């Protein structure tokens, strides 16, 4: 629904890749999140956002308060070897072992997203400025049957309020300028960054027109509040 949602997912994925015990097995909205499990049962993290709502007053859509549900799905179906400094330990592929690992992985994920000082985790935190008033986080522990084999999974859902989408017709500022800059130096994200920059600032318009867009006003409406278009 908005660039803010897409940016938060990108930042979350980039933050987690290579920084937890799942390594690079972190995906954005994978259609088949169990593919990585079907082969070898390796641990997988999938980031998605399928639900959200906006509190819109009048036609002020771009700056409207938005609450989204950011989901982190964690899966495992085999023994996991974890590096704990000078040694490695193995968590067995048992019900108890899977449960222990998933809880530990959830902690790993939150540790990176909320405590890691690296650029992408920092951008992730800057892209939302508060949690929803109720039910900040809920989790669901379950398993699915796949060809007779049960697979352990844990889903954590975070209800957060993202920053506002960038206003079209103006150069990106603040966190949006920094997000685009980070994407532009990432080979996999560079084309998307160019696309977004064109969407946001492909046609720069004067301040009165930006105000008109922000408020969702007609030409008559913008003149009626005293912001007369430049002649």
């Amino acid at each position: 629904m908005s660039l803010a949602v897409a940016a938060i997912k990108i930042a979350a994925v980039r933050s987690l890749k290579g920084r937890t015990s799942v390594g690079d097995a972190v995906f954005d909205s994978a259609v088949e999140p169990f593919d990585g499990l079907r082969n070898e049962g390796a641990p997988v993290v999938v980031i998605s956002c399928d639900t959200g709502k906006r509190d819109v007053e009048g036609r002020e859509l771009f700056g409207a308060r938005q609450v989204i549900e950011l989901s982190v799905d964690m899966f495992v179906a085999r023994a996991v070897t974890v590096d704990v400094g000078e040694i490695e330990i193995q968590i067995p592929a048992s019900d108890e072992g899977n449960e222990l690992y998933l809880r530990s992985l959830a902690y790993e994920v939150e540790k990176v997203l909320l405590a890691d000082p690296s650029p992408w985790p920092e951008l992730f935190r800057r892209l939302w400025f508060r949690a929803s008033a109720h039910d900040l986080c809920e989790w669901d522990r379950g398993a699915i049957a796949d060809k007779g084999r049960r697979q352990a999974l844990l889903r954590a859902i975070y209800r957060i309020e993202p920053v506002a989408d960038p206003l079209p017709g103006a150069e990106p500022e603040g966190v949006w300028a920094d997000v685009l800059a980070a994407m532009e130096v990432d080979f996999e994200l560079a084309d998307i960054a160019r696309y977004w920059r064109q969407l946001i600032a492909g046609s720069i318009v004067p301040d009165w027109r930006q105000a008109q867009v922000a408020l969702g006003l007609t030409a008559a409406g913008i003149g009626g509040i005293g912001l007369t278009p430049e002649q």
Side-chain angles (χ1 to χ4, degrees), residues 84-231:
V84 291
E86 297 181 355
I87 63 172
E88 292 183 340
I89 64 170
Q90 187 173 75
I91 302 175
S94 62
D95 290 343
E96 182 180 7
N98 288 338
E99 170 75 11
L100 174 64
Y101 176 70
L102 287 173
R103 299 296 180 185
S104 302
L105 178 57
Y107 184 84
E108 284 189 74
V109 167
E110 292 187 345
K111 179 181 177 182
V112 171
L113 294 179
L114 297 179
D116 194 308
S118 303
W120 275 114
E122 180 70 14
L123 285 172
F124 171 79
R125 294 190 290 270
R126 290 175 60 195
L127 281 165
W128 60 282
F129 56 91
R130 62 186 170 195
S132 175
H134 302 287
D135 300 325
L136 163 62
C137 177
E138 68 177 39
W139 56 267
D140 181 29
R141 170 72 173 89
I144 63 170
D146 182 18
K147 297 180 181 179
R149 182 182 64 181
R150 291 178 62 80
Q151 298 177 340
L153 65 96
L154 175 65
R155 166 172 290 180
I157 300 176
Y158 302 91
R159 292 184 176 87
I160 58 178
E161 184 175 339
V163 299
D165 277 350
L167 193 65
E171 286 291 342
E173 298 179 344
V175 67
W176 282 109
D178 294 339
V179 165
L180 288 176
M183 292 173 64
E184 286 167 344
V185 298
D186 186 309
F187 176 77
E188 295 180 352
L189 299 175
D191 285 345
I192 298 298
R194 284 190 284 269
Y195 173 41
W196 284 9
R197 191 174 289 280
Q198 177 65 26
L199 284 177
I200 299 166
S203 299
I204 302 298
V205 298
D207 290 348
W208 68 265
R209 180 70 73 181
Q210 294 174 27
Q212 180 183 356
V213 172
L215 298 173
L217 297 178
T218 62
I222 195 69
I225 62 173
L227 296 177
T228 306
E230 297 174 355
Q231 303 298 322

Side-chain angles (χ1 to χ4, degrees), residues 1 52-68 130 132-133 161-162:
M1 186 67 180
K53 65 179 181 179
R54 282 175 167 173
D55 294 331
V56 182
E57 295 184 11
R59 291 190 293 270
E60 298 178 34
L61 188 60
F62 286 104
R65 177 178 178 267
Q66 182 176 200
V67 176
I68 67 172
R130 62 186 170 195
S132 175
E161 184 175 339

Side-chain angles (χ1 to χ4, degrees), residues 13 19 26 31 46 52 63-64 68 73 75 79 85 109 124 164 196 200-201 213 219:
V13 171
R19 290 193 175 92
V26 182
V31 176
V46 178
I68 67 172
D73 291 326
F75 313 88
V109 167
F124 171 79
W196 284 9
I200 299 166
V213 172

